[in-house]
Amino acid sequence: MKELFDYANDYIKKMDAKDITLLKFCLLALGILIGIGVPKKFRKAVILISLLVFMMTYIPVMADFIGGLVEHSGSKSIKIS
């Protein structure tokens, strides 16, 4: 299992923003397909769990990204175009 994670980490290091975007859209589509298949009596629970997982993962990732952005902008100016 450790070898699998090592390979995954090496693969991720080679990815660029386009590859990561494609992966995220793929996972979004998979999540939507799974969500469509959830029976109505379980939808509220699935929505609540999904919301909690989203908040628990999105906030730390964005905090790290914004921290890196601030650190990066301190060393040189950022141009977006």
Side-chain angles (χ1 to χ4, degrees):
M1 191 67 153
K2 182 182 179 319
E3 290 178 23
L4 181 61
F5 280 108
D6 289 342
Y7 174 75
N9 285 332
D10 290 341
Y11 182 74
I12 289 170
K13 288 176 186 175
K14 296 176 187 174
M15 296 175 80
D16 63 4
K18 182 180 126 189
D19 296 327
I20 293 170
T21 302
L22 291 173
L23 178 62
K24 286 184 177 199
F25 275 113
C26 174
L27 292 173
L28 172 65
L30 178 62
I32 290 170
L33 288 171
I34 291 170
I36 289 171
V38 173
K40 284 191 177 190
K41 68 180 184 177
F42 298 118
R43 283 200 182 142
K44 286 185 181 181
V46 169
I47 289 170
L48 179 61
I49 291 167
S50 298
L51 181 61
L52 290 173
V53 170
F54 173 78
M55 289 180 355
M56 289 171 53
T57 57
Y58 186 75
I59 292 171
V61 167
M62 288 310 296
D64 188 40
F65 176 76
I66 291 171
L69 186 62
V70 168
E71 183 179 303
H72 181 77
S73 67
S75 62
K76 56 182 164 180
S77 63
I78 299 174
K79 289 186 178 180
I80 300 175
S81 58

